[in-house]
């Protein structure tokens, strides 16, 4: 939307069709016949007065900001309810909520700062971001802090969350190299991604699966059902199947106790060995999954109203890994539909902007953010509803967690900056079209004037006059 001058706001005649018009507006001056005396300049013909076009103020997509704050508002509401156990164990009743609020404020600042970045800073800064996140995930298993029986934390942050954003940056940089063909670009991207993926999957198998799904999804978008995609997809599926088979067939004496391998072995065995006899039995292995289903059942479709959840005091990870179950328990069908709707709208908006971009790296980044975080949200909701085994994945932009919230906010801020750049490119293209149209109009007028002057001239009386006219 192009801002008007202050003196013109009282006479605004903007129609709905003018809101998305990026054409430059001409500056106008108010005319008051009673108080302003005509000067020599004002008496000149209107054709002699030069008007300079003024560039409109171009901003990023405001609907993305609206979706972003809708996610944060949902997070604040249900995190306040789901952190009751943390508030009970802590010294202050509002300490968990205020801590999450601080993370949100820092994340909003990060998203705003990233939304102001220009094109070169995003491209070259993204490569540095990937390199930094790759180094972090490599050294985390060595000097990191153990969290949930795995070394995932480094300096109070989870590098794997930032590595996901780094992989999106890598995809936008590598898959847009013009000197290579589609297969070569895809092989190079997979090779570079696999370096950090090995370290990420070692400590968090579910995170490795999400990144693998992202690689296959973005490869499908860029190369279609090519030989490279089928080869990489077959290798990935084979490795996952081999890993699951090893976890199921290895004896308990081989699998180390209290390790990530033992934890995943128990989750897969519990998910694959369900029967009618132990379907409703709650044990140590299925404690969280069963209580998540109880939370969904307690909603009765209408919900128990925010703040009245019972399972929030029973589920150990109610504020992170099973926040969707608490949302359904408290709001019923409304929350069950509201959360997936937000992710669908986010993916739809990013995909729509990707189709408008004329630059391949912008399209890849926008689609990459949509694929990465929509996939993570789907996996989280499948775990809560019992469709897949427990993965320990949070709900992006809603679950409690500073690293996830901060990294996702960076990705959303970059997307908003790209939408601004797309609008700037469209504005420059429109100016170029108007310039060419004006040049064609001037050339047409010159041809018509020349033709008219020739037709109106007297016929030559001699051959010498004819030659001089020619």
């Amino acid at each position: 939307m192009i801002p008007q001058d202050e003196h013109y706001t009282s006479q605004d005649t903007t129609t709905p069709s003018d809101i998305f018009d990026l054409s430059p507006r001409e500056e106008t001056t108010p005319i008051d016949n009673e108080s302003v005396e005509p000067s020599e300049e004002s008496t000149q013909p209107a054709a002699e007065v030069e008007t300079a076009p003024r560039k409109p103020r171009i901003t990023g997509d405001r609907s993305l900001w609206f979706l972003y704050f809708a996610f944060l508002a949902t997070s604040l509401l249900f995190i306040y309810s789901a952190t009751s156990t943390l508030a009970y164990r802590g010294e202050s009743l509002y300490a968990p909520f205020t801590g999450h609020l601080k993370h949100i404020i820092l994340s909003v600042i990060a998203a705003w700062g990233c939304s102001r970045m220009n094109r070169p800073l995003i491209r070259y800064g993204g490569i540095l971001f990937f390199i930094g996140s790759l180094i972090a995930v490599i050294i985390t298993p060595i000097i990191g802090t153990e969290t949930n029986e795995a070394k995932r934390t480094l300096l109070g942050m989870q590098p794997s969350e930032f590595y996901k954003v780094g992989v999106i940056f890598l995809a936008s940089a590598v898959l847009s190299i013009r000197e290579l063909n589609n297969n070569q670009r895809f092989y190079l991207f997979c090779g570079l991604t696999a370096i950090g993926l090995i370290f990420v999957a070692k400590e968090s198998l579910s995170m490795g699966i999400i990144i693998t799904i992202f690689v296959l999804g973005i490869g499908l978008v860029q190369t279609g059902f090519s030989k490279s995609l089928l080869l990489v997809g077959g290798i990935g599926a084979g490795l996952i199947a081999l890993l699951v088979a090893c976890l199921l067939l290895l004896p308990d004496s081989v699998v180390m106790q209290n390790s990530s391998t033992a934890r995943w072995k128990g989750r897969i065995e519990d998910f694959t060995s369900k029967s009618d006899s132990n379907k409703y039995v709650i044990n140590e292995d299925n404690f969280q999954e069963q209580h998540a289903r109880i939370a969904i059942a307690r909603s009765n479709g209408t919900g128990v109203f925010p703040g009245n959840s019972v399972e929030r005091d029973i589920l150990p990870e109610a504020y992170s890994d099973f926040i969707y179950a608490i949302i359904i328990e408290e709001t019923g069908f409304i929350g069950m539909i509201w959360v997936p709707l937000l992710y669908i709208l986010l993916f739809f908006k990013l995909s729509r902007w990707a189709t408008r971009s004329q630059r391949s790296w912008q399209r890849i980044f926008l689609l990459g953010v949509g694929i990465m975080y929509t996939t993570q949200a789907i996996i989280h909701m499948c775990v809560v509803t019992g469709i897949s085994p427990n993965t320990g994945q949070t709900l992006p932009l809603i679950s409690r967690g500073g690293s996830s919230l901060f990294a996702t906010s960076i990705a959303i801020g970059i997307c908003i900056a790209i939408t601004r750049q797309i609008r700037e490119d469209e504005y420059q293209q429109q100016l170029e079209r108007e310039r060419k149209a004006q040049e064609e109009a001037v050339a047409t007028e010159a041809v018509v004037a020349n033709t008219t002057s020739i037709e109106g001239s007297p016929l030559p009386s001699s051959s010498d006059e004819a030659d001089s006219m020619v």
Side-chain angles (χ1 to χ4, degrees):
M1 181 175 180
I2 304 173
Q4 301 293 334
D5 296 335
E6 295 180 356
H7 59 262
Y8 194 70
T9 54
S10 60
Q11 300 178 358
D12 189 7
T13 58
T14 303
T15 60
S17 61
D18 296 333
I19 295 177
F20 301 100
D21 185 12
L22 297 178
S23 60
R25 304 288 179 86
E26 296 181 356
E27 296 183 355
T28 58
T29 54
I31 299 177
D32 190 355
N33 295 329
E34 297 179 358
S35 60
V36 180
E37 296 181 358
S39 59
E40 295 180 358
E41 296 180 356
S42 62
T43 57
Q44 294 179 357
E48 298 180 1
V49 179
E50 297 181 357
T51 57
R54 180 170 55 87
K55 183 179 179 180
R57 181 174 177 269
I58 301 175
T59 60
D61 188 4
R62 295 179 180 177
S63 61
L64 284 178
W65 279 118
F66 174 79
L67 282 173
Y68 176 66
F69 284 109
F71 277 112
L72 298 184
T74 304
S75 176
L76 280 175
L77 175 61
F78 293 102
I79 289 299
Y80 178 74
S81 175
T83 54
S84 59
T85 54
L86 296 179
Y88 177 77
R89 294 194 300 263
E91 298 178 356
S92 175
L93 178 62
Y94 300 100
F97 176 77
T98 55
H100 184 63
L101 183 61
K102 292 177 182 178
H103 292 157
I104 286 181
I105 294 174
L106 293 176
S107 300
V108 170
I109 295 174
W112 179 84
C114 292
S115 67
R116 309 298 299 176
M117 296 173 65
N118 54 22
R119 188 178 294 113
L121 185 58
I122 293 176
R123 296 214 65 181
Y124 300 110
I127 298 175
L128 296 177
F129 189 95
F130 168 75
I131 296 174
S133 62
L134 177 61
I135 295 174
V137 297
I138 292 176
I139 65 176
T140 297
I142 302 174
I143 62 174
T145 304
E146 185 172 335
T147 303
N148 294 330
E149 301 177 357
K151 289 186 176 181
R152 304 175 183 175
T153 306
L154 180 66
L155 300 178
M157 297 182 294
Q158 292 188 8
S160 58
E161 295 292 341
F162 296 92
Y163 185 71
K164 290 191 300 184
V165 183
V167 169
I168 300 174
F169 276 119
L170 179 67
S172 63
V174 174
L175 297 180
S176 60
I177 299 176
R178 298 181 180 180
E179 289 76 11
L180 304 177
N181 57 39
N182 287 336
N183 292 331
Q184 292 173 341
R185 290 194 294 260
F186 187 64
Y187 285 139
L188 179 60
F189 168 62
C190 293
L192 294 175
T193 304
I195 298 174
L197 181 60
I198 297 174
F199 295 91
V200 172
K202 180 180 179 298
E203 302 298 331
S204 178
L205 181 60
S206 58
M207 186 75 72
I209 294 175
I210 291 176
I211 296 177
T212 303
I213 294 174
F214 165 78
V215 170
L216 297 178
I218 203 68
L220 178 63
V221 172
Q222 286 299 111
T223 64
F225 290 99
S226 60
K227 293 181 180 179
S228 59
L229 177 67
L230 296 177
L231 177 61
V232 174
I235 294 174
L239 290 176
I240 294 175
L242 180 62
L243 179 61
V244 173
C246 290
L247 289 175
L248 294 177
L249 297 177
L250 285 176
D252 295 337
S253 59
V254 177
V255 180
M256 295 187 306
Q257 298 295 327
N258 298 326
S259 65
S260 57
T261 306
R263 185 174 63 255
W264 268 101
K265 179 179 174 62
R267 290 176 178 177
I268 295 175
E269 287 180 346
D270 178 69
F271 183 77
T272 56
S273 62
K274 290 180 179 179
S275 60
D276 293 337
S277 58
N278 60 359
K279 185 176 181 180
Y280 302 102
V281 176
I282 300 178
N283 51 39
E284 185 178 356
D285 295 329
N286 63 5
F287 182 83
Q288 296 190 88
E289 294 88 339
Q290 293 290 59
H291 278 281
R293 297 179 183 87
I294 293 174
I296 296 175
R298 288 195 72 255
S299 66
N300 291 325
T302 57
V304 296
F305 198 77
N308 294 327
S309 172
V310 174
E311 292 299 322
R312 63 179 179 174
D313 298 326
I314 302 175
L315 280 169
E317 302 293 335
Y319 45 82
S320 57
D321 297 354
F322 292 91
I323 186 65
Y324 187 55
I326 304 303
I327 294 174
I328 296 177
E329 181 185 4
E330 295 186 347
T331 58
F333 284 117
I334 297 177
M336 183 179 64
I337 298 174
W338 169 254
V339 173
L341 181 63
L342 289 178
Y343 292 103
I344 292 173
L345 291 176
L346 178 63
F347 184 81
F348 172 77
K349 291 296 297 183
L350 294 178
S351 302
R352 186 178 180 183
W353 276 105
T355 58
R356 290 177 57 175
S357 175
Q358 302 297 323
R359 304 175 187 272
S360 58
W361 71 270
Q362 291 178 343
R363 294 195 298 268
I364 295 171
F365 191 91
L366 292 172
L367 289 174
V369 172
I371 293 173
M372 180 72 78
Y373 292 105
T374 304
T375 301
Q376 182 176 345
I378 291 174
I379 291 177
H380 176 96
M381 289 183 282
C382 288
V383 170
V384 170
T385 54
I387 300 177
S388 67
N390 187 11
T391 60
Q393 286 301 314
T394 60
L395 198 59
L397 292 175
I398 295 180
S399 295
R400 185 175 182 266
S403 300
S404 176
L405 185 60
F406 194 80
T408 310
S409 298
I410 291 176
I412 297 298
I414 296 295
C415 290
I416 296 174
I418 291 177
T419 60
R420 188 191 73 251
Q421 296 167 9
I422 293 174
R423 285 177 170 173
E424 290 176 350
D425 292 340
E426 292 175 345
Y427 172 73
Q428 296 298 331
Q429 293 174 0
Q430 185 171 351
L431 289 182
E432 184 66 19
R433 288 193 299 267
E434 291 179 356
R435 185 185 64 81
K436 291 182 179 180
Q438 186 176 5
E439 291 178 353
E440 292 176 358
V442 172
T444 303
E445 291 178 358
V447 172
V448 172
N450 189 18
T451 304
T452 304
S453 62
I454 293 176
E455 291 178 353
S457 61
L459 293 176
S461 59
S462 63
S463 60
D464 295 337
E465 295 180 357
D467 292 339
S468 64
M469 291 181 63
V470 173

